[in-house]
Structure formats: C-alpha cells, structure tokens
Amino acid sequence: PCALVISIPLSFFGGIGGASRCGILIKGGNYLEALANTSIAVFDKTGTLTKGVFAVSQVSPANGCTEKELLEQAALAESFSSHPISKSLREACGELDARRATDAQEIAGHGVRTMVDGHVVLAGNARMMDDSKITYTKNTGTGTVVYVARDGQFLGSVLIADEVKEHSKQAIAALKAQGVRTIMLTGDSEAVASEISGQLGLDEYHAGLLPGDKVDQIETLLAAKQPKENLAFVGDGINDAPVLSRADVGIAMGALGSDAAIEAADVVLMDDDPAKIALAMRIARRTLRIVYQNIVFALAIKFACLVLGALGLASMWTAIFADVGVMVLAVLNATRALYTKDLAKKNAQ
C-alpha cells in the first residue's frame, strides 16, 4: 500500500530532522531504530560526563625537588601532547621554552617519555612508574594524578581535577527514568571514578582501564545483554573510536570530540550536552510509535475495505478513501515526528 511506502520512510526522515533541530545528528534510520531499543548506556568520563577542562589542584614534590621544578619538568614532558591534562600542566607552569624538550613518545594508557635538557623524563600514571621500576609515593587525592620521574628518580606528583558537566546528573537521571542502565568506563583511578559515580548516581563503573580494556568491557556487556536490547556507548576521544564502532549505537560529542570519534559514531551531539542522549531516545521511540501507528492504520483500513468489498458493501469512494485518503492521513501523521519542542521541554524538566 502506498500509505506504507510513503509514510514509513517519511516518519524516519521526520524523526532525524526533528533530532537535528535539537542539535542531535543521527546518521540513518537504522540508528534511530537502534536508539529506540537501547537499554544500556555506557559512558566515557573525561570530556563526556566531565568538562575535560583540567586545572592543577595540588603539587607534591619529592626527593629535594621544588614545586616549580616539578611543574616545569611535567609541563616540558607533556609539551608535545594535545591532551587536556597536558594543557593544564602547561597553563599552570606559565612560560616554557619548548625547545628544551625533544624525542617525545606518547605511551597509550600510561603517559609520555620525553628528553628534557638531555634527561629522560617520564610523566604519567602509576602504571608507568610500575613498568619503569620506579619507586614512588602514591598520591591518594581525588583527581587525575601525574607522576613525574627523571632518569629513573621520582620527582613527585601533580594532582589535576576535572569538573562534572552541568547537565550530567540530569542526563543520568533522565536515562534511568526511561529504564536505561548507566555505566561509566574510565582510565582514571578508583577514587576518582567512585566519586564521579556517586555524584551522578550511575548504576556501575569500571576504573583504571586502558583503551583495549574498554573494548573488552563492551564485549562483556554485549555478550550479557538480551537479544532485543541495544547498548549505546558515549565518548569523545580518539581512543574511544574502536568502542564507538563496536557498540550497537555509538554516540560522540561533536563540539570538542575528536574527528575519529565523530566519524566512528552513529549519533553526534553537536553541543556536547549529555542530557541530549535521553532526548534522542525519546525522539527515536516516538518516531517508532508513529511508524507502528501508520502500519496498523493503513493495513486495518485496507483489510476492512476488502471485507466490505467481498460483502458487496464497498463503493468506489470507499476504495478511494482506503487508498488515497489513508495515504494522506498517514503522511500527516508522519509529519508529527518533525515536531520535538514538547519532548525537548519535557527533557529539560
């Protein structure tokens, strides 16, 4: 029936168009349908639930090193990196002569190894110190800890704090209200992950993960979910691209997210607002409801017309209504998917 052929694609187009008005880019009707059936939402932490704007909150020198020297060595070691943590170190240190640093090597999930003034400087997490057999003093502060060592000698640690996004708590609450299970995956320490999880009310979290560990966690969650359930992963960094591709629905932050993450994702939030995830799901579910309404309405009228025709009770006008009339009504119903103001208002509340 033409009512189905026209109205069903139009409903999906309307849903995608309505979402784009709200700053949500959905790359196809199949992803809209997958989003409607999502029951598990997995989040990266930095840049997704938090602002990704780091600031140095504590400097803890060791072995006769001064605070200024510790910050300087950390900032020079990180001078080639574009990571938000690296930027915060450079900002805290002030003026730097980047020519003092050479041969920088970024070690994924660990930190950086850089030649500074002819010395080997390591700046990274506890895992990097352990792998390099460096004795260090553990920093138990809440935040991201950067341990610094020079020529195998521990210089101290720098504590860097990140802020939770304004709408992150609202986003988690809105998802849980829709029956979605919320999980956070992060490479940060257990203390940081526990505090962020408690602030936001997440159902579950996993800390201290390397990029490959995140893929393993997603594989475990995918294997444990029900056949008709979908899993969405929300991330923004280049390391999140493999996980975004592996999830049933990959959702990327479009404003500050990396190009690799945006390319790999199925849905892009153009303003980096995590509260838009619940809105996207509402739009997707209403779009599917409209699709099902059109299917039931069109087929019911067709079958009713066939029965009336078999009984000799159907006129030409009945047949015209069952064909053209139903098509017009189904199309008008499909256009409802374009209007999302009511859903956006409900999501804001």
Side-chain angles (χ1 to χ4, degrees), residues 12 14 31 102 133 258 276 294 310 337:
F12 282 107
Y31 303 124
T102 58
K133 304 292 190 294
S258 69
K276 293 288 181 69
N294 284 339

Side-chain angles (χ1 to χ4, degrees), residues 10-349:
L10 192 61
S11 299
F12 282 107
F13 295 155
I16 292 170
S20 67
R21 287 181 175 180
C22 299
I24 304 165
L25 173 62
I26 301 175
K27 296 184 179 180
N30 52 334
Y31 303 124
L32 188 75
E33 188 171 1
L35 198 59
N37 296 320
T38 296
S39 60
I40 304 171
V42 184
F43 295 85
D44 175 49
K45 182 185 78 69
T46 305
T48 303
L49 293 175
T50 62
K51 293 180 179 179
V53 179
F54 293 86
V56 173
S57 60
Q58 183 187 63
V59 181
S60 304
N63 297 323
C65 182
T66 64
E67 288 190 7
K68 181 180 179 181
E69 184 184 6
L70 175 59
L71 263 179
E72 185 181 61
Q73 293 295 307
L76 285 168
E78 299 268 8
S79 60
F80 293 95
S81 176
S82 60
H83 194 280
I85 289 176
S86 305
K87 291 179 181 177
S88 69
L89 287 169
R90 293 195 295 271
E91 288 172 2
C93 192
E95 290 292 329
L96 281 174
D97 183 3
R99 292 173 296 180
R100 295 169 59 191
T102 58
D103 299 330
Q105 179 185 1
E106 191 161 352
I107 304 169
H110 289 71
V112 295
R113 180 186 184 278
T114 309
M115 294 295 294
V116 179
D117 298 330
H119 299 279
V120 177
V121 176
L122 303 178
N125 54 26
R127 204 179 291 116
M128 176 174 249
M129 298 293 108
D130 292 333
D131 289 351
S132 302
K133 304 292 190 294
I134 295 171
T135 303
Y136 65 97
T137 304
K138 190 170 183 180
N139 190 321
T140 56
T142 301
T144 299
V145 180
V146 178
Y147 295 99
V148 184
R150 181 175 57 197
D151 293 335
Q153 183 181 17
F154 180 61
L155 296 183
S157 61
V158 181
L159 185 66
I160 300 171
D162 191 7
E163 293 182 40
V164 173
K165 286 183 179 179
E166 296 174 359
H167 298 143
S168 290
K169 188 171 183 178
Q170 174 191 339
I172 299 301
L175 287 170
K176 292 176 79 170
Q178 295 184 51
V180 178
R181 179 181 165 203
T182 56
I183 302 170
M184 181 179 72
L185 306 181
T186 178
D188 282 343
S189 65
E190 176 75 20
V192 175
S194 178
E195 182 177 345
I196 296 296
S197 178
Q199 282 184 36
L200 301 181
L202 291 158
D203 294 317
E204 189 179 329
Y205 70 88
H206 300 275
L209 302 178
L210 294 172
D213 297 331
K214 291 183 181 181
V215 177
D216 294 338
Q217 286 289 342
I218 290 295
E219 293 289 355
T220 302
L221 291 167
L222 287 170
K225 70 180 180 65
Q226 297 299 317
K228 292 185 178 180
E229 290 182 330
N230 283 334
L231 180 146
F233 179 81
V234 190
D236 72 312
I238 189 169
N239 289 335
D240 296 327
V243 195
L244 287 164
S245 300
R246 184 62 190 92
D248 295 317
V249 184
I251 303 175
M253 299 293 165
L256 296 177
S258 69
D259 291 342
I262 293 169
E263 182 68 26
D266 309 313
V267 179
V268 181
L269 307 180
M270 301 311 297
D271 57 0
D272 288 0
D273 184 356
K276 293 288 181 69
I277 300 167
L279 175 59
M281 290 183 182
R282 283 197 174 102
I283 292 171
R285 287 168 181 169
R286 187 174 74 170
T287 300
L288 280 194
R289 283 199 301 271
I290 291 171
V291 168
Y292 294 143
Q293 288 168 7
N294 284 339
I295 291 172
V296 172
F297 176 65
L299 293 180
I301 296 296
K302 292 288 184 183
F303 283 123
C305 187
L306 286 172
V307 171
L308 290 174
L311 297 175
L313 300 176
S315 66
M316 181 61 71
W317 286 111
T318 305
I320 291 171
F321 171 75
D323 185 47
V324 180
V326 170
M327 182 269 291
V328 171
L329 292 174
V331 167
L332 290 174
N333 189 43
T335 58
R336 290 173 48 229
L338 274 170
Y339 301 101
T340 55
K341 284 185 179 179
D342 55 331
L343 294 179
K345 189 180 293 184
K346 186 177 179 181
N347 195 67
Q349 293 172 351

